[in-house]
Amino acid sequence: MSPEPTPQAPHPGSSPRPESSEVAYAAAEAAYDAGQQAGTMLQVIAPDGTVVRPDLLPDPATRLHLYRQMRRARHFDERGWVLYRQGRLGVFPPFGGMEASQVGTAAALTKDDWLFPTYRDTGAALTLGLPIARTLAYWRTSPHGWHMPADLKVLPFYIPIATQYPQAVGAALAEQRQGTRNVAMAFIGDGGSSEGDFHEALNFAGALNAPCVFILQNNGWAISVPTRHQTRATDLSRRADGYGIPGVRVDGNDALATYHVTREAVDRARSGGGPTLIETVTYRVKPHTVADDPTRYRTDADNAGWDAKDPVTRLRAHLLTEGLMTETGEADMLAEIAAEFEAALAEADSYPEPTPAEILDHVFAEPTPQLKKQRAEILAEHAHDQKEQA
């Protein structure tokens, strides 16, 4: 008989049952604070709005633009919750608390660049110019939101995990071969960085020097799984080292810092310097989706420390202290944002109800014989149903 195997000591991060929310939360906040104190995570302004790196401050107009876009994103997120509860919006992933990570990165692009968002990156798409009405239609599962505007290179929000990364490299290489200076930006979460597509894309981009910027939003959770359960790594930007490309770690709740590092990465890609991986360290204070019940794996108290790191209040404090914005001016801006949203909501409400066959309209530019056959079958069935109901 073979000898009994020697019992192995548990992995430092392993546990016989899911880690308590308190431990997972404490680990995420400790990692954030450690990065801040050690200087391994770039900051331009501290959580209270004070300036840490005056040499990296963008011009006042850019700071105000970033704040306005963050407010637009947060307003969408907050109104989205209300609309969902009213039955006027489908299930969507909220992103409140992650605005700096999305706005600060997408703001470094132009409309000639590509954006490959995940399902949680509505804020990034809005920043680049995706119309609010079209976005609402998408989260209503309406065909009016299934195709992007012709003048905007934004892909539909990706539901599969990590598939957008290799596709972004393909778009970047196409731009490179056409001789443009346009870049592709792709988003992913900390959970997605454990997928094979993530690593294949980084190797693909590095080997061919693709003008691609990879945004890795480390928000501490992959649905209900804390980051420390899926990897022993504490600095996910170091994953770039294995593929010979630059990796940067930045405070994902600091819009000025995320904008600075992303602008550098975009400029480098435009100039032929190749791809960059940017880890934005943030926290998912909201549920995974509006249908999620996060109390099953964490408590409301877990978010308390992150409320003090809120990206919107941080930049607001900075702008008020620096005299770049007044409370009256802010009130006017918020009123404009609210009016913009309500006008877009009215437009989305005016879209006609879709017909069943429209589900096939945006699959291919030129319908295949199989799609044409399926469309005819759907239309025939729909006509039969309507006749029976008459």
Side-chain angles (χ1 to χ4, degrees), residues 185-224:
M185 178 181 291
F187 285 76
I188 206 168
D190 48 292
S193 71
S194 293
E195 293 281 348
D197 283 354
F198 169 86
H199 297 275
E200 292 160 6
L202 263 61
N203 187 62
F204 187 23
L208 298 180
N209 204 45
C212 204
V213 178
F214 299 107
I215 308 298
L216 196 174
Q217 295 185 101
N218 183 355
N219 66 18
W221 295 91
I223 308 181
S224 60

Side-chain angles (χ1 to χ4, degrees), residues 45-251:
I45 53 174
D48 63 1
T50 57
V51 179
V52 177
R53 291 289 303 274
D55 56 314
L56 301 184
L57 284 173
D59 61 79
T62 298
R63 282 177 265 176
L64 287 168
H65 173 72
L66 291 171
Y67 185 67
R68 185 183 188 93
Q69 294 302 321
M70 288 170 67
R71 278 297 195 179
R72 289 180 75 241
R74 177 153 297 186
H75 189 81
F76 184 100
D77 190 68
E78 292 173 346
R79 288 289 283 126
W81 276 91
V82 175
L83 294 172
Y84 169 73
R85 293 188 177 108
Q86 293 175 339
R88 301 171 66 192
L89 198 68
V91 173
F92 84 102
F95 53 90
M98 296 175 59
E99 292 90 351
S101 178
Q102 296 186 22
V103 172
T105 48
L109 300 177
T110 72
K111 285 193 174 183
D112 292 325
D113 298 317
W114 292 85
L115 180 66
F116 291 74
T118 73
Y119 50 79
R120 199 177 303 283
D121 301 319
T122 299
L126 292 174
T127 300
L128 193 59
L130 185 64
I132 295 174
R134 187 74 64 91
T135 310
L136 289 169
Y138 178 89
W139 291 117
R140 286 178 169 179
T141 67
S142 166
H144 301 285
W146 291 349
H147 59 287
M148 299 295 107
D151 64 341
L152 202 61
K153 297 176 180 177
V154 177
L155 275 289
F157 301 101
Y158 279 73
I159 306 302
I161 305 300
T163 56
Q164 67 274 17
Y165 256 43
Q167 293 171 12
V169 179
L173 290 173
E175 294 286 357
Q176 183 186 72
R177 294 188 179 189
Q178 290 174 7
T180 75
R181 288 171 52 84
N182 302 332
V183 306
M185 178 181 291
F187 285 76
I188 206 168
D190 48 292
S193 71
S194 293
E195 293 281 348
D197 283 354
F198 169 86
H199 297 275
E200 292 160 6
L202 263 61
N203 187 62
F204 187 23
L208 298 180
N209 204 45
C212 204
V213 178
F214 299 107
I215 308 298
L216 196 174
Q217 295 185 101
N218 183 355
N219 66 18
W221 295 91
I223 308 181
S224 60
V225 179
T227 305
R228 61 187 273 114
H229 273 189
Q230 57 148 318
T231 178
R232 194 171 179 176
T234 57
D235 182 345
L236 300 185
S237 70
R238 294 293 303 277
R239 291 185 167 177
D241 295 349
Y243 306 102
I245 68 174
V248 182
R249 196 165 193 254
V250 64
D251 184 345

